[in-house]
Amino acid sequence: MTSDVVDPADAATISPAADPGFLQRYGGTIEYIVIPGAALVGALGVFGVFVALFGKSPLDLYFYMYQGAFGTWFSWQNTLTRAAPLILTALCTALPAQLGMVIIGGEGALLIGALAATSAALTLQSAPPLVVQLAMVCAGMIGGGLWIMLAGGLRQYRGVNETISSLLLVYIALAILNHLVEGMMRDPASLNKPSTREIGAANMIGSIPGTDVHWGLVFGVVAAVASYILIYHTVFGFAARVAGGNIRAAKIVGLGVGKLILTICFLAGASAGLAGMVEVAAVQGRTNANLAAGYGFTGILVAFLARQNPLAVIPVAILLGGISASGGLLQRRLGLPDASVQVLQGIIFVFVLASDALYGRIGFLKGKS
């Protein structure tokens, strides 16, 4: 006769992947890692095919991408510098997603935050540097926060789709920036490229000691960790996730949905506004058209790859920052246009959106045969 009782010693040798209980408990988490990873690998494969059609080796492509992103300490610093605004702009999409909202206006909030921070610095030029820097942080976050809160208010009180309104607000922000930089805020000395006056070297936030990476990276990491704690470890975050799951049920139980929407949208915009402040105070030193570098749009991709998880935003932003940083090396070594990395980002986005249909449909990750 045989017994159905499994010996404990034999049970200990069963791998986690073969344990239905393990897969039932952690299958969802594994999906959040495996599916975006597979989408990323698939996008790289398709991009390699395109490169091969132009007579370049895909293996050389991947090698130089790695070298340009993570191969040297210089590459790492370049990657981390580019990752800092991506973390902050990704939060502009990830936070409203907890309420079921799709906000894609991080680029506009970044520009408004940069304008507000620059205005604060130019107004307080005679103040101590620390006061100016704090004023820039507050102004950038308030400016960006109010800009995205406008999209949330239009959704809540006028029924305007937040995806459309936030996207249109990007172009309005760009028009405002061009109008002010080429008009009343223009530095008369900026002849070739209209710019505002410089905020002053003393008011720049500088770099992390021992590196060439500015403090914006620290701001981004702190903001992502704080956002994670807010969403997953506070009553406010629980209420936001309940409203995001079923907004009608949230209203029935008495949750202030309007207040949740406005608050979350303000915090989301404040993150992107802080990214604009960082670009002014750590990179540009002034406001000009160079600020419209697409960080807000790439942040959307970061948020989707991270499945709207604020903590996952950090490594994903570093990865996408590395891809962006490798563009120059690909141009020099393979003769590819520097904008080819933007094509890759577009392919990744398509694969990520397509892979969304796979969540919850992979049987073996649910402990099913």
Side-chain angles (χ1 to χ4, degrees), residues 45 47 59 112 156 269:
F47 187 62
L59 295 179
I112 295 298
Q156 175 64 19

Coordinates of all heavy atoms in Angstrom, one line a residue, residues 45 47 59 112 156 269:
G45 N 14.8 42.8 -28.1 CA 14.9 41.9 -29.2 C 14.4 42.5 -30.6 O 15.1 42.4 -31.6
F47 N 14.1 45.7 -31.2 CA 15.0 46.8 -31.5 C 16.3 46.3 -32.2 O 16.8 46.9 -33.1 CB 15.3 47.6 -30.3 CG 16.1 48.9 -30.6 CD1 15.5 49.9 -31.3 CD2 17.3 49.1 -30.0 CE1 16.2 51.1 -31.6 CE2 18.1 50.2 -30.3 CZ 17.5 51.2 -31.0
L59 N 24.4 42.3 -31.2 CA 25.3 42.0 -30.0 C 26.1 43.3 -29.7 O 26.3 43.6 -28.5 CB 26.2 40.8 -30.3 CG 25.5 39.5 -30.5 CD1 26.5 38.4 -30.8 CD2 24.6 39.2 -29.2
I112 N 6.3 74.0 -15.3 CA 5.7 75.0 -14.4 C 6.5 75.0 -13.1 O 6.8 76.1 -12.6 CB 4.2 74.7 -14.1 CG1 3.4 74.8 -15.4 CG2 3.7 75.6 -13.1 CD1 3.4 76.2 -16.0
Q156 N -13.0 65.9 -11.4 CA -14.0 65.8 -10.3 C -15.2 66.6 -10.5 O -16.3 66.2 -10.2 CB -13.3 66.1 -9.0 CG -14.2 66.1 -7.8 CD -14.8 64.7 -7.5 OE1 -14.3 63.7 -7.9 NE2 -15.9 64.7 -6.7
G269 N 1.7 66.2 -8.8 CA 2.3 67.4 -9.5 C 3.4 67.9 -8.8 O 4.4 68.4 -9.4

